[in-house]
Amino acid sequence: LEAEGQAYFDRVISEDSRIEPRDWMPAAYRKTLLRQISQHAHSEIIGMQPEANWISRAPSLKRKAILMAKVQDEAGHGLYLYSAAETLGQSRDQMMDDLIAGKARYSSIFNYPALTWADMGAIGWLVDGAAICNQVPLCRASYGPYGRAMVRICKEESFHQRQGFEILLELSNGTPAQKQMAQDAVNRWYAPALMMFGPPDDDSPNSKQSTAWNIKRFSNDELRSRFVGMMVEQVRVLGLTLPDSEVRFNEDTRKWEHGPLDWNEFKEVLAGRGPCNSQRLERRRQAHDDGAWVREAAAAYAHKQSMKTKE
Ligand code: ACO
């Protein structure tokens, strides 16, 4: 039966078609997907925090409404992704327990602080911009529920990026102090945003297999280079600059290049020693504890309903 399953799986992958939850799949494929999708879900949930911190300080009612909707979208993304991960056989409770226990990864980017209102612009423009660049190819990931979740997520991320760009554009065209605030935010978020794409290709242990399984379509460095090319054009429209004098288009390779990144800093953040790691996890634990009564009430209600149907 396993040989038949493997043959079916191999055929689906070679035809660039889709694996669905009930299909046979190699244990390692399941494990890789669970790893990536749960990390992605956790990133969306932890990623709500830097922006949620600014909801009460948004400079106008309109900005506040937009930011609230955006943060709520991120919660929705987390929920679709937990659902997609659950189809692989792990419960959401287990994933949440792992996150709260500090055993699960989430994107490095969300361990940096959002210091000013301009950071809302830089997060939307750079962080959501990098997320789109990484996630559009994931719409074609070989695992059906993941690819389908990505389609809607990418549409919403496009709106998020536009709103971030617009915040920066307005600040850039404002007073000199506002323009400086926008530039400062771009300066601080640029390198961490480039690191979102993951370690350099020669230091990326999962890439080869994930590419062979049609989960990853482009390498970490390839996507990072494309992203730099997009930002170079857009930063001109903003009237700002990228804090990287080494950005250039290499005519020979036909790729965008950037200056060196501090991969030690990346490793420190992944090891839990970034500027906000402990604060982010503490906040998540607190939110989870605060929500205990809601979960208990929902479970009691569901139990009551199931007793009624039995009667
Ligand atoms: N932050 C935290 N951990 C990272 C990051 C990052 N930016 N980049 C890589 N890593 C981790 C990987 O998870 C992996 O760790 P693990 O083996 O313990 O799971 C390790 O570093 C080595 O990296 P790779 O071998 O390159 O790992 P992978 O093939 O999974 O590629 C990538 C990493 C590109 C992030 C991939 O997992 C991916 O595309 N994920 C989906 C997108 C995503 O999670 N986005 C979240 C941020 S965007 C947002 O939510 C708004």
Side-chain angles (χ1 to χ4, degrees):
L1 206 67
E2 178 148 335
E4 240 175 65
Q6 181 75 51
Y8 174 77
F9 177 85
D10 291 345
R11 194 175 72 242
V12 169
I13 297 296
S14 71
E15 287 171 353
D16 203 354
S17 191
R18 279 196 149 146
I19 297 294
E20 295 298 338
R22 286 169 204 269
D23 293 341
W24 185 91
M25 62 186 89
Y29 175 81
R30 186 184 296 277
K31 194 169 160 213
T32 285
L33 281 167
L34 250 178
R35 176 183 67 80
Q36 177 164 330
I37 303 174
S38 62
Q39 287 176 358
H40 195 164
H42 296 325
S43 305
E44 303 281 358
I45 296 300
I46 297 285
M48 293 164 74
Q49 292 186 35
E51 290 171 293
N53 286 340
W54 277 90
I55 290 174
S56 62
R57 290 173 285 172
S60 71
L61 183 62
K62 190 178 123 197
R63 293 284 180 203
K64 187 175 180 136
I66 295 170
L67 188 60
M68 250 158 66
K70 195 217 161 196
V71 172
Q72 221 164 30
D73 283 353
E74 307 294 357
H77 298 173
L79 298 184
Y80 310 145
L81 286 165
Y82 283 128
S83 297
E86 278 186 313
T87 65
L88 292 158
Q90 196 175 75
S91 74
R92 187 178 303 194
D93 285 348
Q94 182 62 52
M95 289 183 263
M96 195 47 78
D97 288 348
D98 288 348
L99 176 64
I100 284 172
K103 285 197 252 165
R105 285 203 195 289
Y106 58 85
S107 183
S108 50
I109 192 75
F110 300 117
N111 294 305
Y112 291 85
L115 302 178
T116 68
W117 171 253
D119 288 38
M120 299 304 96
I123 292 175
W125 180 53
L126 287 169
V127 175
D128 294 318
I132 297 169
C133 208
N134 164 266
Q135 289 169 27
V136 166
L138 291 174
C139 296
R140 295 190 290 120
S142 56
Y143 188 56
Y146 191 35
R148 287 189 290 273
M150 280 297 126
V151 174
R152 177 154 173 191
I153 290 177
C154 285
K155 284 185 185 162
E156 293 180 351
E157 294 292 4
S158 303
F159 155 71
H160 297 169
Q161 201 215 5
R162 292 291 292 273
Q163 69 88 38
F165 182 87
E166 206 258 339
I167 289 175
L168 289 178
L169 187 65
E170 193 148 316
L171 290 173
S172 177
N173 289 320
T175 64
Q178 287 171 329
K179 183 165 183 173
Q180 185 50 46
M181 184 166 76
Q183 183 63 58
D184 175 62
V186 170
N187 292 351
R188 283 182 290 106
W189 288 93
Y190 172 77
L194 291 195
M195 292 182 194
M196 285 172 69
F197 294 93
D201 291 350
D202 54 15
D203 196 19
S204 164
N206 300 302
S207 278
K208 191 162 172 261
Q209 185 59 71
S210 290
T211 307
W213 278 329
N214 296 341
I215 298 169
K216 271 182 146 166
R217 298 290 180 163
F218 300 100
S219 78
N220 297 359
D221 287 332
E222 168 70 29
L223 291 174
R224 191 167 14 247
S225 152
R226 286 184 188 198
F227 175 65
V228 169
M230 278 164 49
M231 296 298 111
V232 162
E233 298 295 323
Q234 295 179 16
V235 82
R236 285 199 200 111
V237 183
L238 286 173
L240 301 172
T241 55
L242 295 177
D244 184 345
S245 56
E246 293 178 51
V247 169
R248 69 174 194 120
F249 187 70
N250 183 327
E251 291 291 348
D252 296 333
T253 59
R254 310 291 304 159
K255 286 190 198 314
W256 284 93
E257 292 174 356
H258 54 81
L261 293 167
D262 183 352
W263 291 108
N264 280 333
E265 175 182 311
F266 178 75
K267 285 182 185 141
E268 282 294 294
V269 173
L270 260 62
R273 294 187 291 269
C276 298
N277 293 57
S278 51
Q279 180 187 331
R280 299 291 184 240
L281 269 190
E282 192 42 51
R283 179 77 197 92
R284 179 90 285 283
R285 272 185 208 119
Q286 185 66 48
H288 192 70
D289 291 349
D290 290 349
W293 70 272
V294 180
R295 292 189 298 278
E296 279 161 25
Y301 181 76
H303 179 68
K304 205 164 115 188
Q305 294 302 309
S306 74
M307 296 312 274
K308 264 192 202 157
T309 39
K310 273 185 199 140
E311 275 164 13

